Amino acid sequence: MPIKLTDATVHDAKAIIRPDGNIDIYYVYPIQENSGLSLWRRCLNPNGQLGVEELVVEPSFGNIAKPTPHRLNTGELLITFVEQGKVVLEGDHNLHAAIISRDASCHIGQGGLIQ
């Protein structure tokens, strides 16, 4: 079943199962035209409904690709991703990680930056 996300240029999508049976999807797309890729996430419930879209990393961080979520034994999430620089073929590719203390919101409505 296709999952319709926010933008036609969404890519590098990865999913991780949650303890409550829902799934969180992590993906990248530009926050605005002609900008670098930003990291986003959404909850997907068993009925195929999507929760609010949440920006995971500030867009000023850089051009993000290849997000991979990992569930830690504490229940937190470790997200690893690559920051590609402003010009993908000319910049450094740096591996980064972030620990997120909670899963994505499954509420339908407006999204925002993870606090």
Side-chain angles (χ1 to χ4, degrees), residues 48-108:
Q49 296 170 308
L50 291 166
V52 296
E53 184 172 61
E54 298 175 338
L55 183 60
V56 178
V57 179
E58 290 282 349
S60 61
F61 187 83
N63 193 21
I64 295 174
K66 311 297 183 205
T68 305
H70 314 270
R71 179 74 60 186
L72 301 175
N73 60 6
T74 62
E76 296 172 308
L77 292 160
L78 172 68
I79 306 300
T80 56
F81 56 92
V82 173
E83 194 283 313
Q84 307 176 100
K86 296 291 182 195
V87 180
V88 175
L89 297 177
E90 296 175 14
D92 293 329
H93 287 67
N94 300 301
L95 180 63
H96 293 274
I99 293 179
I100 300 175
S101 61
R102 63 179 174 79
D103 292 315
S105 171
C106 288
H107 297 288
I108 297 171

